[in-house]
Amino acid sequence: YTSNLFKWRWKLLKEELEPQTAAGFRPVCMAQYERIFNTTRIPSEKRDHIIHHEDSQHIIVYHNKKYFRVQCYSASGRLLSAAELQDQYDIIIADQSRSAIGEDICAALTAGSRDKWYNARKKHFCDVVNKATLYDIESAAFFVSLDDNTYDHTIGNKEDGSQLSEIAGALIHGSCTDIWFDKSFTLKVFANGVVGFNGEHAWADAPVMGMTSEYVICMEQVIGYDAEGNARGERTTETKDLAPTRLRFQFTKQAIEDIKISYNEAKLIADDLDINVNGVNDNYQAKESEIGLVNETTYRLKSEAQIVTDFSFYSISQKDSLISENRLIGHLHPKYKKSSDKFLYEFGVNIAY
């Protein structure tokens, strides 16, 4: 997937992708595709900002509560083959070093209140070490999370043993510490090879990540794997000494406390989120009650449904909330209630694929 994502980036950079069309003939603006990679959202005092880097040759990989920087291009500028990238992942998975204090949960800062993240960023990421680490994360082409859990992704219901709902939860919020929610997207890979995306929504609409996931899935079938399940591709002597590097964190006791506050805040919301995904196959017969419900609750605009949900939550709780289309992330201030567009631009939400 990593190799195919970089190939997708190159295809977009060279403008080799045919423009999408509406109704099959009207071209759709493709400007959002420019920010799929090398993009992050950062908090400031009054609003968030989308930062896009012109180029990035590395990714950040999170595994077993540790962060690794993986160089994906050789010294000559060649994209590593899928086999060479697998070697990098194998080193990460085999790593037995301990995580630094606070490293395991620091991503929770991006999952909690934006005000808390902004203040923590000013206080705890201003020293040379933490500032460099944060820059590595935010300037990465994308973020990868290796999840040691295994889920049954059979298309079906819970009664059939399918764990689609669990997969959805792992992609939408995970443990609140294994996804860097400010990155344009996180590629999440489970122990049994099941793959999904968490996409930050402020920089683009959902179809952009939908097209991205479709491309890499199709390309996986083209390249394929050998009989032992290893990635195919050549290995050259140019990368024999290449290895991932651990990111360094040096958090104070106060920093740890601030991270825990954001973690507890995000965990409370995530635990309160109910997800039920049911697979629909060719043998599925919709019930009359289900058909009637769909007909009765058809909205002209998806945004209308979103606004109703937002206002309902606020009218019940009478307090600021963490809300999202599929995951509860952006810090919503009451004064922005009147404009869903302003909310999406200034706070953002996240979606899962």
Side-chain angles (χ1 to χ4, degrees), residues 71-264:
Q71 184 68 20
C72 297
Y73 287 78
S74 67
S76 63
R78 177 183 62 85
L79 173 64
L80 302 190
S81 69
E84 290 170 326
L85 287 168
Q86 179 183 324
D87 294 339
Q88 303 300 303
Y89 282 115
D90 287 341
I91 294 173
I92 291 173
I93 293 173
D95 183 83
Q96 297 297 316
S97 61
R98 296 174 57 184
S99 61
I101 298 176
E103 179 179 7
D104 56 335
I105 60 173
C106 68
L109 288 168
T110 67
S113 163
R114 303 304 291 175
D115 292 339
K116 291 185 178 66
W117 176 208
Y118 168 67
N119 291 326
R121 186 188 183 94
K122 288 196 304 180
K123 290 189 297 183
H124 310 308
F125 289 88
C126 57
D127 62 282
V128 175
V129 174
N130 290 342
K131 186 176 182 179
T133 292
L134 183 61
Y135 179 79
D136 278 343
I137 295 173
E138 294 182 337
S139 64
F142 53 91
F143 191 89
V144 179
S145 178
L146 302 182
D147 193 322
D148 289 330
N149 292 308
T150 298
Y151 297 108
D152 183 344
H153 63 292
T154 304
I155 303 299
N157 300 324
K158 289 184 177 180
E159 295 76 12
D160 306 320
S162 176
Q163 294 180 295
L164 295 179
S165 298
E166 288 79 0
I167 294 174
L171 294 175
I172 290 175
H173 54 69
S175 64
C176 298
T177 63
D178 57 354
I179 298 172
W180 197 270
F181 294 107
D182 282 356
K183 287 299 293 179
S184 52
F185 72 89
T186 292
L187 170 66
K188 197 163 192 180
V189 184
F190 300 98
N192 60 338
V194 175
V195 175
F197 291 89
N198 175 288
E200 203 287 310
H201 204 352
W203 61 274
D205 295 318
V208 177
M209 281 308 302
M211 283 281 290
T212 300
S213 60
E214 288 179 10
Y215 175 83
V216 295
I217 290 173
C218 290
M219 289 302 296
E220 283 292 296
Q221 306 305 314
V222 173
I223 299 176
Y225 300 85
D226 66 19
E228 294 184 351
N230 295 307
R232 299 170 63 193
E234 65 174 344
R235 292 176 171 88
T236 67
T237 56
E238 187 182 18
T239 59
K240 66 177 182 178
D241 297 324
L242 193 63
T245 56
R246 278 284 306 275
L247 296 188
R248 296 182 60 200
F249 294 88
Q250 294 181 343
F251 291 127
T252 63
K253 290 183 178 180
Q254 182 59 53
I256 300 300
E257 291 301 316
D258 290 343
I259 294 173
K260 288 181 178 179
I261 290 173
S262 289
Y263 170 73
N264 292 332

Side-chain angles (χ1 to χ4, degrees), residues 41-79:
R41 188 181 86 202
I42 63 171
S44 62
E45 186 174 5
K46 294 183 179 180
R47 56 178 288 179
D48 283 0
H49 296 275
I50 302 299
I51 303 299
H52 174 71
H53 298 267
E54 287 301 318
D55 189 28
S56 179
Q57 297 190 348
H58 75 278
I59 60 174
I60 299 298
V61 180
Y62 178 87
H63 177 252
N64 195 22
K65 305 177 180 180
K66 294 169 292 188
Y67 289 78
F68 297 84
R69 186 184 192 277
V70 178
Q71 184 68 20
C72 297
Y73 287 78
S74 67
S76 63
R78 177 183 62 85
L79 173 64

